[in-house]
Amino acid sequence: MPTALPRVAWIGLGVMGSPMSEHLIKAGYPVTGHTLEAHKLDRLAAAGGTPAATVAEAVRGADVIVTMLPADPHVEAVSYGDDGVLAHARPGALLIDMSTVAPRTSIALAEAAQAGGKGVRVLDAPVSGGEAGAVEGVLSVMVGGAEADFAAAEPLLGTFGTTVARCGGHGAGQTVKAANQLIVAVTLQACAEAVVLLEKSGADLATALDVLGGGLAGSAVLSRKRHNFLTREYAPGFRLDLHHKDMGIVLDAARAVGAALPLGSAAATLVASARARGDGGLDHSALLRGVELLSGTAS
């Protein structure tokens, strides 16, 4: 007899969480989900999942609990307290937090779970790849936690991740995600500056970006955001508001270990500036708007 797939509780059905949970359902996992928006629960039901009205209802009896939430306060609110995940998780359940939060938040959650006496195991497993990666099931998943718990979670994570790796103990996944967001922010800013340089110099932008993409300057950032740069369309695949939050995590993590981030600090300032101008709801490729403003080409 084939072994039954673990029962999954999924908390947080946003831009990333909805398609990720749907990959699990398609792979045969029984998924019960909870989120605050009724239409997203309807989407889960239409995909074959089971909606839950509360966190407690979703978590009750689950073998694996996945949280995919916007920021540290949301993870803490869902995890702790009488109505939280830790209060209602069954003994021995595996809690996988896939939100992007500070490493210290993930470490504190793992410690609280251990202290709870139920033997709830915790992994931090943030992802990279944005909405497109979630929809296509090609995310990169960076995991922190015990090796045995990672081994148990790896098949599940592989339903929506093509690169799934344990990076170390608790908090390590979040540290790698912080490094990812640092690289993405700096690369986006460099691409934006290159776009303005090319256009002000009279080069054909589409051709130039194709050439750059085929050389050492090529990157996933450049290929995925090429359309945005060419059209100045910034429908959010990953909002500047969220990248602003993530850059706060980057700088906090760097301070904690004494790492100097000269370019990272500058990129964080530019992201904050874009948000202050009202661009927080746009895709993070809208950093181009700031370069255009500085260069006198903003429309």
Side-chain angles (χ1 to χ4, degrees), residues 272-284:
S273 176
R275 186 170 179 267
R277 289 195 309 273
D279 287 348
L282 301 180
D283 187 77
H284 50 177

Side-chain angles (χ1 to χ4, degrees), residues 45-72:
T50 302
T54 65
V55 170
E57 181 184 338
V59 167
R60 195 173 296 121
D63 303 303
V64 179
I65 302 154
V66 180
T67 50
M68 186 56 154
L69 300 162
D72 300 58

Side-chain angles (χ1 to χ4, degrees), residues 122-216:
V122 177
L123 296 173
D124 49 284
V127 302
S128 177
E131 181 182 7
V135 171
E136 296 165 14
V138 294
L139 294 168
S140 178
V141 187
M142 44 217 84
V143 185
E147 288 187 23
D149 297 337
F150 171 70
E154 193 171 8
L156 182 153
L157 299 175
T159 63
F160 44 71
T162 49
T163 302
V164 180
R166 176 180 176 269
C167 304
H170 296 298
Q174 299 295 352
T175 301
V176 175
K177 179 59 185 289
N180 181 89
Q181 297 304 82
L182 166 64
I183 292 169
V184 171
V186 171
T187 305
L188 278 169
Q189 181 64 25
C191 288
E193 293 179 17
V195 166
V196 172
L197 171 64
L198 290 163
E199 288 193 326
K200 287 183 76 74
S201 302
D204 180 87
L205 182 59
T207 301
L209 293 181
D210 288 341
V211 172
L212 292 171
L216 189 58

Side-chain angles (χ1 to χ4, degrees), residues 206-233:
T207 301
L209 293 181
D210 288 341
V211 172
L212 292 171
L216 189 58
S219 68
V221 170
L222 181 57
S223 62
R224 282 197 176 270
K225 303 303 179 181
R226 179 182 184 277
H227 175 78
N228 303 53
F229 294 141
L230 288 173
T231 63
R232 270 55 170 189
E233 294 176 359

Side-chain angles (χ1 to χ4, degrees), residues 13 47 51 54 58 83 100 120 173 180 187 224 246 263 296:
L13 296 166
T54 65
D83 299 322
T100 296
V120 174
N180 181 89
T187 305
R224 282 197 176 270
D246 290 352
L263 289 178

